[in-house]
Amino acid sequence: MVEFRFFCQRIKNTKNSNDKSYELLLRSANGASFPAEEFSKIVVNKEKHKEYLIWLEKAIKSVVERYPNKIFSFNLDHQELEYDDTFNMLKKLSKFKNRIIIEVTEVPPIVRNTPYYSHVNLYAFQKIKNMGYRIALDDVAEGINSIGNLFLLLDFIDRVKFSTLSFRCSMNEDQLKRFIIYISNITKFAKKDLVIEGIEDALFSQWVSENITHLHQGYIYSKPHNIWPAELKKL
């Protein structure tokens, strides 16, 4: 089993400095980057994924116990929602459910292990919701987390995350702002939290705060740093 690390990045609430939320970011053993090749092999192999979940449960439990009164989110791919073992792991962590947010990434499933006819596994989302966890739909408008699938999932999710990073390559700033307003209108109508990711300059941060949301994530606020395994640090 390949050993990974967790880095963390703060989700900044520009209106409430007492709101201490962090996203846990999976990294390779040396912490250099997301272990894309290793993880892609794990996530499609049920037995390898079961071993990974043992590591994941241990890591999540360690972090939330080490930092009480903090909120942590971690990622699951849609493929991971196809495995019963994923839900067994979530059951084991359920006593921390008030301090955990499940972020479901934009990566589509490779193999469906349960029958369903919608574009996404609504049953899996409902199951997580019924367990008492909050759910964030990550990188909305990318991959399988399309706008259409966002509407399908509105009954189950609590938070929408929109990253500006990839859209900056295809849009100018005015177009990007109009698109963010469009996403914001959906989330306001549905009464969901909205986090804007990829905020890297003060002027853009100010515009987002004044017009869109107080929940920001980006290098201007917090650079990802090692949190597990690690010595106890103040967050």
Side-chain angles (χ1 to χ4, degrees):
M1 177 68 193
V2 177
E3 285 295 324
F4 299 128
R5 290 183 173 274
F6 265 133
F7 276 38
C8 76
Q9 186 177 37
R10 185 173 179 183
I11 301 171
K12 173 75 171 179
N13 187 326
T14 60
K15 194 175 183 179
N16 181 4
S17 61
N18 293 321
D19 182 356
K20 300 294 178 68
S21 296
Y22 300 84
E23 180 181 358
L24 298 175
L25 305 167
L26 192 68
R27 291 291 182 263
S28 58
N30 62 13
S33 60
F34 175 71
E37 184 176 351
E38 298 97 322
F39 190 73
S40 65
K41 293 176 182 177
I42 288 170
V43 77
V44 296
N45 184 303
K46 186 177 180 180
E47 292 306 311
K48 288 183 178 179
H49 185 256
K50 187 174 182 178
E51 292 180 20
Y52 165 74
L53 289 175
I54 295 172
W55 175 90
L56 182 63
E57 179 195 344
K58 178 182 177 181
I60 298 295
K61 184 174 183 289
S62 176
V63 170
V64 295
E65 287 182 337
R66 179 181 288 177
Y67 300 100
N69 304 316
K70 305 292 190 296
I71 306 295
F72 293 96
S73 60
F74 70 92
N75 292 331
L76 291 176
D77 284 356
H78 284 262
Q79 182 65 58
E80 297 181 87
L81 305 185
E82 297 294 309
Y83 301 129
D84 289 338
D85 291 323
T86 300
F87 296 95
N88 292 334
M89 184 270 297
L90 291 176
K91 286 179 183 177
K92 293 176 182 178
L93 291 174
S94 61
K95 68 178 181 179
F96 305 111
K97 62 188 177 185
N98 292 332
R99 294 202 291 121
I100 291 176
I101 298 175
I102 309 298
E103 292 194 16
V104 183
T105 76
E106 78 283 7
V107 181
I110 304 301
V111 179
R112 291 189 179 192
N113 294 313
T114 54
Y116 54 94
Y117 301 98
S118 55
H119 293 155
V120 289
N121 191 342
L122 300 178
Y123 305 110
F125 279 82
Q126 185 173 35
K127 193 171 182 179
I128 296 172
K129 189 70 175 174
N130 289 343
M131 292 172 72
Y133 286 100
R134 285 174 287 172
I135 304 173
L137 197 63
D138 197 21
D139 290 329
V140 161
E142 298 185 59
I144 197 172
N145 291 348
S146 65
I147 299 298
N149 286 339
L150 167 61
F151 278 100
L152 286 177
L153 292 166
L154 284 176
D155 287 342
F156 309 111
I157 64 173
D158 304 275
R159 171 172 287 184
V160 171
K161 299 190 76 177
F162 176 82
S163 175
T164 66
L165 296 177
S166 61
F167 292 95
R168 289 185 183 277
C169 300
S170 56
M171 297 180 177
N172 60 41
E173 185 153 315
D174 182 61
Q175 291 171 326
L176 178 60
K177 286 180 176 179
R178 280 186 281 146
F179 192 44
I180 292 173
I181 290 170
Y182 169 66
I183 300 293
S184 176
N185 287 339
I186 296 172
T187 59
K188 286 178 181 177
F189 171 78
K191 298 181 181 179
K192 309 298 178 183
D193 290 340
L194 175 61
V195 179
I196 301 297
E197 298 180 284
I199 296 180
E200 297 178 355
D201 68 77
L203 284 177
F204 187 73
S205 170
Q206 182 179 353
W207 179 83
V208 173
S209 288
E210 292 175 353
N211 298 280
I212 305 297
T213 179
H214 296 292
L215 298 175
H216 300 192
Q217 192 171 346
Y219 274 56
I220 190 173
Y221 302 110
S222 171
K223 292 183 179 179
H225 60 276
N226 186 64
I227 190 173
W228 195 90
E231 296 298 324
L232 186 65
K233 296 180 180 179
K234 184 177 180 180
L235 283 180

